[in-house]
Amino acid sequence: MDLSIIIVNWNSVGFLKKCISSIRAETHAIEYEIIVIDSASFDGCEEMLRKSFPEVIFIQSQENVGFARANNHAFEHSCGRSLLFLNPDTEIEGSAINIIYTYLQKLPKAGALGCKLLNSDRSIQTSCIQSFPTILNQVLDSEFLRLRSPKSSLWGVAALYEDKSEPSAVDAISGACIMMARDLFEQVGKFSEEYFMYTEDIDLCYKIKRTGCLNYYLPKTTVIHYGGGSSQEAKSNFAVVMMSESMYKFLTKTKGRNYAWCYRISMLFIALLRLALLTSSKLFKQSNEGSIQKWRAILQWSFRGNKLIKEF
């Protein structure tokens, strides 16, 4: 088998059907299998697959084990020489999978390969590539600053704004669509299962680069990523807290506990500053309510950490 396409489903049956339909319509000349694992959402995806795509290998997890563990479990049922980890809320455009697969075979020191991710309005998702996290780029993280200096190495998104068709080596690519060789995935220890959700793709790319391989962004290959197809079902504050906790774990793992604690303290002060600005009499607007809830959640996490997650 040339390629195993692995999809983790969680309350995304509608997106999943479109995703698989696009794979079948656009992917040719390579032998592939599709493996779907449902992470205890029981949203009817098994019945949908049995009716519409009986060739798909389906795995039902009895508990929500998180993105990393679900992918690793599905991997054990695969047989492809190459792997494509794909979000259910994606839609393949043109020969995207074929093109990525071809580059995987010919690029020097090919590690993880990703493509240009588009929103439903066809605008670029700047999260499809990024630099490895540091305290500085996390503290300064904002759409305003990224748009003001998009080619800064701080963000690692310069390749999105370059007018070229050839692949670019980058730090990390989004786990919404990530292809790599099977033997490399095994060599780096698969997805790190200490992450329940978020940051596992960055961690994987980090491990790949440590082997001497390169992660590549393919600018002329596009996939629509509806974004949040699953996470819309989750509590927004839970997602914010999980992202902060996952980042803390990654920094602890890669830079040490003291560095990670500095990150946590920095986020505490940034949360206080953001809340002060958002709630000030001059700047407060009803539309700021979502941002206020986000930074309140980050402030609570900076004090309580993993204890807060257990309350969700």
Side-chain angles (χ1 to χ4, degrees), residues 257-309:
R257 186 169 297 276
N258 288 340
Y259 189 94
W261 270 102
C262 289
Y263 158 75
R264 189 162 164 176
I265 294 168
S266 298
M267 294 307 294
L268 184 154
F269 286 108
I270 289 297
L272 288 172
L273 177 61
R274 292 284 190 112
L275 286 169
L277 291 173
L278 287 167
T279 57
S280 66
S281 58
K282 287 186 177 182
L283 296 179
F284 182 79
K285 298 177 183 178
Q286 191 65 34
S287 59
N288 287 339
E289 187 59 34
S291 294
I292 290 173
Q293 290 181 7
K294 168 189 171 181
W295 287 104
R296 279 177 179 166
I298 292 174
L299 181 63
Q300 288 180 310
W301 168 81
S302 65
F303 278 110
R304 303 178 61 195
N306 193 46
K307 294 179 182 179
L308 182 61
I309 294 172

Side-chain angles (χ1 to χ4, degrees), residues 39-102:
S39 201
S41 70
F42 303 101
D43 63 351
C45 67
E46 182 177 11
E47 292 77 12
M48 183 275 291
L49 292 171
R50 187 184 302 118
K51 179 179 179 180
S52 302
F53 311 104
E55 75 281 7
V56 171
I57 300 168
F58 177 74
I59 304 166
Q60 180 64 67
S61 175
Q62 297 302 311
E63 59 177 319
N64 187 354
V65 296
F67 184 79
R69 286 181 63 190
N71 270 309
N72 288 346
H73 182 56
F75 165 76
E76 299 300 331
H77 294 260
S78 70
C79 61
R81 290 184 294 273
S82 301
L83 308 167
L84 173 61
F85 298 100
L86 192 64
N87 274 19
D89 57 348
T90 56
E91 193 170 339
I92 305 301
E93 287 208 328
S95 302
I97 291 178
N98 293 77
I99 294 171
I100 301 171
Y101 179 80
T102 299

Side-chain angles (χ1 to χ4, degrees), residues 52-291:
S52 302
F53 311 104
E55 75 281 7
V56 171
I57 300 168
F58 177 74
I59 304 166
Q60 180 64 67
S61 175
Q62 297 302 311
E63 59 177 319
N64 187 354
V65 296
F67 184 79
R69 286 181 63 190
N71 270 309
N72 288 346
H73 182 56
F75 165 76
E76 299 300 331
H77 294 260
S78 70
C79 61
R81 290 184 294 273
S82 301
L83 308 167
L84 173 61
F85 298 100
L86 192 64
N87 274 19
D89 57 348
T90 56
E91 193 170 339
I92 305 301
E93 287 208 328
S95 302
I97 291 178
N98 293 77
I99 294 171
I100 301 171
Y101 179 80
T102 299
Y103 272 113
L104 181 62
Q105 312 310 312
K106 70 179 185 179
L107 282 171
K109 297 182 179 180
L113 273 61
C115 62
K116 181 180 292 183
L117 298 177
L118 302 179
N119 295 302
S120 56
D121 63 1
R122 304 198 65 79
S123 59
I124 298 176
Q125 290 185 2
T126 57
S127 61
C128 59
I129 57 175
Q130 62 178 289
S131 293
F132 291 126
T134 65
I135 291 175
L136 186 60
N137 63 25
Q138 293 305 299
V139 165
L140 297 180
D141 183 36
S142 74
E143 191 68 16
F144 173 77
L145 291 176
R146 284 197 300 271
L147 291 175
R148 288 292 297 270
S149 55
K151 295 187 178 181
S152 169
S153 60
L154 200 62
W155 321 120
V157 298
L160 296 179
Y161 302 94
E162 295 175 351
D163 185 21
K164 69 175 188 178
S165 59
E166 292 304 304
S168 296
V170 297
D171 275 353
I173 59 178
S174 170
C177 178
I178 183 168
M179 188 182 292
M180 62 186 299
R182 182 187 195 88
D183 56 357
L184 180 59
F185 185 64
E186 292 179 312
Q187 179 185 342
V188 299
K190 301 179 281 189
F191 280 104
S192 298
E193 296 185 2
E194 63 262 40
Y195 307 101
F196 181 78
M197 59 189 291
Y198 302 124
T199 316
E200 61 282 304
D201 49 356
I202 297 174
D203 182 280
L204 181 66
C205 290
Y206 181 84
K207 292 190 295 185
I208 288 169
K209 285 201 74 173
R210 292 193 68 183
T211 70
C213 292
L214 299 174
N215 301 314
Y216 286 98
Y217 163 69
L218 310 181
K220 294 301 182 182
T221 309
T222 58
V223 167
I224 297 174
H225 181 212
Y226 291 99
S230 297
S231 61
Q232 285 175 359
E233 301 295 333
K235 295 179 180 179
S236 59
N237 284 357
F238 175 74
V240 169
V241 169
M242 282 302 306
M243 187 173 292
S244 300
E245 181 66 15
S246 294
M247 189 62 64
Y248 176 78
K249 288 180 179 179
F250 176 79
L251 293 174
T252 300
K253 180 177 179 179
T254 59
K255 294 181 179 295
R257 186 169 297 276
N258 288 340
Y259 189 94
W261 270 102
C262 289
Y263 158 75
R264 189 162 164 176
I265 294 168
S266 298
M267 294 307 294
L268 184 154
F269 286 108
I270 289 297
L272 288 172
L273 177 61
R274 292 284 190 112
L275 286 169
L277 291 173
L278 287 167
T279 57
S280 66
S281 58
K282 287 186 177 182
L283 296 179
F284 182 79
K285 298 177 183 178
Q286 191 65 34
S287 59
N288 287 339
E289 187 59 34
S291 294

